[in-house]
Every structure is written in C-alpha cells, then in structure tokens.
Amino acid sequence: MQETLLKLVASAAPFFSFLAIASLITFLLSLLLIPAMIAHMPQDYFLIVVRRHQPARPGLVLLLIKNTLGALLVIAGIAMLFLPGQGLLTIILGLILLSFPGKQRLLLGLLTRPALRNSLNWIRRKTGRSEFRWPPRCRGDNQRGGKITPPLP
C-alpha cells in the first residue's frame, strides 16, 4: 500500500512542479501587471454606471481576446484567494474586461467593501495617480470609507 502511494506521488511530481512554476509566474505577473492596469484606468471609471456614448463595437476577434483574458484573470484571482497573490484585485480586473449583462452592478456590489476600495486607491497613490472617485452607494460618507450604503435592489 505504502509503495503504491509512493509510486503515485512520484508519477505526479512533474504535475506538482508545473503547478509550483505556474503559481510563481502568476504571482510575479500579478505584482507587475495589476498595478499598471489600475494606474491606467480613468479616475472616474466606477462613476460611469451606464455608458451612453459607447465607441463602435470592437471586432469579434478583439472581443474574444478581451473576454478570454478577463476569464483567465477571474480564474487566476480565484486561485489567488488560496495561493499567494492579489486575489480580489485580480478578480475585479478580470470582471472589468469581461462583457456580460449585469457587469456594472456586480462590480459596484463588490466595491461596497471599504478594504477593496482602499487597496485600489493605495495602488493609485503609489503609482502617482489620483484616487478613484466612487459612486455614492459605494463610498458611504466620504471618499476613503466610512458608512457604506446598502446596494440598490
């Protein structure tokens, strides 16, 4: 029994090595790319709930690439909730890239968490950008936190 278990672990060693390397690469990429993406977002990104003047629809290939990257970021963010990395920030950025009905409502629901808003603004300050401006239902009494109003039904 013990010998069979040792053989099974030995045969899975390359898979565990791959997982360790993938985890390290994902962690390093998250440290580099997430702050850059947050820094390049407009300051009022989260204020624009309904965009009335949308640019022309991107091509199908660009839309597929954007949604694939968004899905990968959401999956990586979920993994980073258990592994080293910036899990919630990665999930937020993945959701921003995805195109699906109710996206803005989901984002605003997640952004009612003061810690998440403070993390996003901290990254903006560290990159020399001004803090995000939040919708009233997200920011509560002030821009940095305070009392949070419940999400709209």
Side-chain angles (χ1 to χ4, degrees):
M1 176 74 172
Q2 210 174 25
E3 189 175 305
T4 307
L5 186 60
L6 288 175
K7 285 181 183 178
L8 180 64
V9 169
S11 67
F15 177 71
F16 291 128
S17 298
F18 169 76
L19 280 180
I21 291 169
S23 175
L24 179 65
I25 290 171
T26 305
F27 174 68
L28 292 175
L29 283 175
S30 75
L31 289 178
L32 297 173
L33 295 179
I34 290 174
M37 290 175 71
I38 291 171
H40 284 88
M41 292 172 65
Q43 180 186 15
D44 63 348
Y45 180 84
F46 297 106
L47 285 177
I48 306 169
V49 177
V50 178
R51 297 178 184 199
R52 294 183 182 159
H53 304 289
Q54 289 185 345
R57 299 265 303 152
L60 182 61
V61 173
L62 184 60
L63 189 65
L64 286 173
I65 291 171
K66 185 179 136 201
N67 280 305
T68 302
L69 180 61
L72 288 174
L73 283 173
V74 169
I75 291 168
I78 292 170
M80 284 183 221
L81 293 175
F82 306 102
L83 301 170
Q86 305 170 8
L88 285 176
L89 295 177
T90 307
I91 291 170
I92 292 289
L93 291 175
L95 290 174
I96 287 170
L97 290 175
L98 287 173
S99 299
F100 62 92
K103 172 175 98 169
Q104 290 291 0
R105 186 179 178 112
L106 177 61
L107 281 173
L108 292 177
L110 289 172
L111 291 170
T112 59
R113 298 171 173 252
L116 188 56
R117 289 191 319 278
N118 290 338
S119 296
L120 288 166
N121 280 331
W122 180 81
I123 290 172
R124 297 272 297 184
R125 287 190 302 273
K126 289 293 182 184
T127 57
R129 304 289 305 262
S130 55
E131 294 183 358
F132 284 114
R133 294 186 356 224
W134 305 105
R137 77 178 253 211
C138 287
R139 64 183 151 99
D141 294 334
N142 58 38
Q143 284 288 331
R144 288 219 172 154
K147 183 179 173 187
I148 304 301
T149 57
L152 297 174

